[in-house]
Amino acid sequence: MVRIAHLSDIHFGANDPRIVDAATAWLEERRPDLVVISGDFTQRARVGQFRAASGWLNRLRASGLRTLVVPGNHDIPLYDVVRRFVAPLDRYERYISNVLCPWYEDDEVAILGLNTARSLTIKDGRINHDQLDLLRERFAPVARDKTRILVTHHPLFAMPIGKGNELSEAVGRHDDAIKAVCEAGVHVALAGHFHRTYAEAAEKMVDHSGGALVIQAGTATSTRLRNEEPQSFNWLHVRRNNRMELQVIVWDGNAFRRASHVEYCRHGVDWGHRDMIDPPTVGSSAAHHARA
């Protein structure tokens, strides 16, 4: 089993330092195998905000936590028009990571991150043909029994984002992206952007979309909340490529606590789910149980 903490939309410059410290302490205590951060490290892509985000990332890495990160649209300058179009992700590459499409692989999972942030689209995301080729090429040699995970800032699908479940815009080149995801055999698609927690089988969202489970993270630490949904992040236990558990870890005003725990099992292209009333213990000791 691989334990993945999936955070998104940190938004240094518009975040609560107390919540950042609580999230950091939670991660340092639970020791996930990988921390995935799906973009928007800053609020306005300013140097001071990137330095704060870099300091936080370096703290995680210094504590021995492995990370995989991708940029978001807020990591591109909005008001500095020259920089926005000449060097949109220069500061991100300097302070966060110089790899815009990172790759991670171990004995159980293979994970690809793709940069969907663009200068022209302002807030919406887009995937280009080179990235779609990379998606196919990276996953092509991966062993069939490994769990294949794709990470983007913008979700590939139109998502319910409002109180009335109105749908968002899908990522640019949506049809081509879904086709590539199917061809690559992606099992899980992780994203953020909308500050809303959500999980659903891709096949229930778009016809002929393959067997992926779509998982959205809310904002981990931003003070800019939507639909009154509190700060949160996802805690994934990936057991096999057709079975995993998702816990949503929510800020309750004082600490991060588990708000839900759902097991997902895939049969063909359909993901069934059930609430974990009595969640299983990871390992046998009390220490392991505390980390679960």
Side-chain angles (χ1 to χ4, degrees):
M1 183 188 72
V2 176
R3 300 177 308 148
I4 298 172
H6 170 213
L7 290 75
S8 194
D9 298 82
I10 309 301
H11 287 290
F12 276 92
N15 62 350
D16 186 326
R18 188 166 67 110
I19 300 178
V20 172
D21 289 343
T24 306
W26 197 99
L27 294 170
E28 290 175 339
E29 180 182 352
R30 270 69 175 189
R31 313 297 305 169
D33 300 299
L34 184 69
V35 179
V36 170
I37 305 171
S38 54
D40 277 1
F41 285 85
T42 69
Q43 179 62 18
R44 285 290 173 250
R46 295 178 177 135
V47 170
Q49 296 169 5
F50 271 120
R51 284 176 175 163
S54 177
W56 175 68
L57 264 184
N58 288 339
R59 175 177 170 181
L60 295 182
R61 292 163 176 163
S63 71
L65 294 176
R66 194 187 303 258
T67 63
L68 182 143
V69 302
V70 295
N73 54 290
H74 276 265
D75 298 320
I76 292 177
L78 179 61
Y79 301 114
D80 186 342
V81 177
V82 173
R83 182 177 294 275
R84 179 175 185 84
F85 290 98
V86 173
L89 287 170
D90 177 65
R91 289 173 178 168
Y92 175 90
E93 292 179 281
R94 186 188 316 165
Y95 291 103
I96 305 299
S97 174
N98 59 5
V99 180
L100 298 181
C101 295
W103 174 259
Y104 170 84
E105 186 173 4
D106 61 21
D107 292 338
E108 298 181 71
V109 299
I111 305 176
L112 175 65
L114 291 181
N115 166 36
T116 57
R118 298 291 187 270
S119 298
L120 284 171
T121 57
I122 307 295
K123 66 177 182 177
D124 297 325
R126 194 168 183 82
I127 291 181
N128 62 40
H129 291 296
D130 287 342
Q131 289 174 316
L132 296 180
D133 290 340
L134 177 66
L135 171 60
R136 298 182 183 94
E137 292 165 4
R138 276 295 199 176
F139 285 120
V142 172
R144 292 176 61 87
D145 60 340
K146 286 187 181 182
T147 303
R148 305 175 188 206
I149 300 175
L150 177 66
V151 180
T152 57
H153 176 64
H154 300 84
L156 303 185
F157 305 86
M159 308 295 298
I161 56 172
K163 291 184 178 180
N165 282 336
E166 57 268 24
L167 296 180
S168 68
E169 291 291 328
V171 72
R173 293 199 174 88
H174 166 264
D175 292 341
D176 291 338
I178 298 306
K179 182 180 178 181
V181 165
C182 290
E183 293 173 353
V186 171
H187 300 110
V188 181
L190 302 179
H193 185 55
F194 290 116
H195 296 201
R196 184 171 185 182
T197 304
Y198 185 77
E200 184 59 275
E203 195 68 17
K204 293 182 180 179
M205 304 170 73
V206 179
D207 290 338
H208 311 299
S209 56
L213 177 63
V214 177
I215 298 177
Q216 292 289 121
T219 174
T221 63
S222 175
T223 55
R224 299 170 67 249
L225 304 178
R226 296 182 182 175
N227 302 321
E228 299 179 355
E229 182 174 318
Q231 293 86 354
S232 68
F233 54 88
N234 296 328
W235 182 227
L236 280 165
H237 290 179
V238 181
R239 299 187 179 277
R240 293 191 299 273
N241 58 31
N242 61 357
R243 182 180 170 221
M244 60 197 66
E245 296 170 27
L246 170 62
Q247 300 175 42
V248 179
I249 310 301
V250 173
W251 175 251
D252 68 1
N254 295 296
F256 277 103
R257 304 185 188 280
R258 179 170 57 191
S260 63
H261 187 171
V262 179
E263 180 185 50
Y264 290 88
C265 293
R266 180 169 57 89
H267 304 281
V269 296
D270 184 42
W271 285 90
H273 64 275
R274 69 182 181 94
D275 291 333
M276 303 291 288
I277 305 302
D278 296 307
T281 299
V282 179
S284 57
S285 69
H288 277 135
H289 180 69
R291 293 205 308 270

